[in-house]
Amino acid sequence: MEFQKINYNFSLALDLAHKALKLDEVPVGAIITNKYGDVIGEGHNTKEADQNPCMHAEIISIQNAAKKIGNWRLEDCDIYVTLEPCIMCMGALSQARIRNIYFAAYDPKGGAISLGKNIHDDQRLNHKMNVFGGFKHIECSKIISNFFKKKRLNYKK
């Protein structure tokens, strides 16, 4: 995949992360593209608004993409997400049959791959996914770290 397309898709995901930030949600955004590169699903975190721990950007984008194409199987689709997916989201991406996962910032405390949970490559599972990380890492990790710095400052008051 060409670098310009990846960059563009991450800018769309980052726009969604900024929407989440404005709603005081953890600023993570995700988009799903079909095999032609068209965006078929998008989402950002809404855990606080929905009071639902499952409402991660990846889950919402999977739901929106599946609804748009009328099929839960998102074969030949790729996801672009501003933060490394957690274990729950990696499981959902596997169940949705996502082809490629592109993520920006690594998450050493909650990211499935950083924690050594290589769901994408587990030979016991019936679906394998390709994972590529570190795109726009600095830009995407900065928005998340600034969000949590602000939260910690507010807790001290």
Side-chain angles (χ1 to χ4, degrees):
M1 175 170 282
E2 64 183 65
F3 182 73
Q4 283 180 314
K5 188 67 171 172
I6 291 172
N7 226 14
Y8 175 74
N9 289 337
F10 272 108
S11 68
L12 296 176
L14 195 53
D15 287 345
L16 291 164
H18 283 287
K19 281 185 180 179
L21 181 64
K22 288 178 184 169
L23 299 171
D24 203 30
E25 298 278 356
V26 176
V28 178
I31 67 159
I32 294 178
T33 60
N34 64 16
K35 65 182 175 183
Y36 305 108
D38 302 320
V39 176
I40 60 168
E42 63 179 40
H44 60 74
N45 283 3
T46 62
K47 283 170 55 172
E48 298 299 328
D50 294 333
Q51 288 299 295
N52 184 336
C54 298
M55 292 295 90
H56 288 201
E58 298 94 329
I59 303 294
I60 295 166
S61 62
I62 289 169
Q63 291 172 336
N64 289 334
K67 186 175 183 178
K68 182 166 186 163
I69 67 168
N71 193 338
W72 63 267
R73 291 174 190 86
L74 301 177
E75 297 169 329
D76 296 326
C77 293
D78 302 329
I79 189 166
Y80 298 81
V81 60
T82 59
L83 184 66
E84 177 184 351
C86 69
I87 296 166
M88 174 185 71
C89 290
M90 285 295 276
L93 292 164
S94 176
Q95 289 296 313
R97 310 295 193 260
I98 289 288
R99 175 180 55 181
N100 295 309
I101 301 168
Y102 297 93
F103 70 87
Y106 283 88
D107 184 2
K109 293 181 180 179
I113 294 165
S114 291
L115 295 173
K117 308 299 182 191
N118 297 320
I119 295 165
H120 68 286
D121 200 27
D122 190 321
Q123 297 304 311
R124 298 167 294 179
L125 299 174
N126 66 341
H127 181 69
K128 310 292 176 282
M129 302 172 287
N130 301 306
V131 179
F132 308 95
F135 298 93
K136 291 195 174 224
H137 172 77
I138 293 170
E139 188 176 355
C140 291
S141 62
K142 190 180 285 186
I143 187 176
I144 291 169
S145 33
N146 287 342
F147 173 81
F148 284 111
K149 279 180 193 172
K150 185 178 174 186
K151 286 286 184 195
R152 285 189 294 276
L153 283 174
N154 289 338
Y155 290 140
K156 291 178 183 179
K157 292 180 181 178

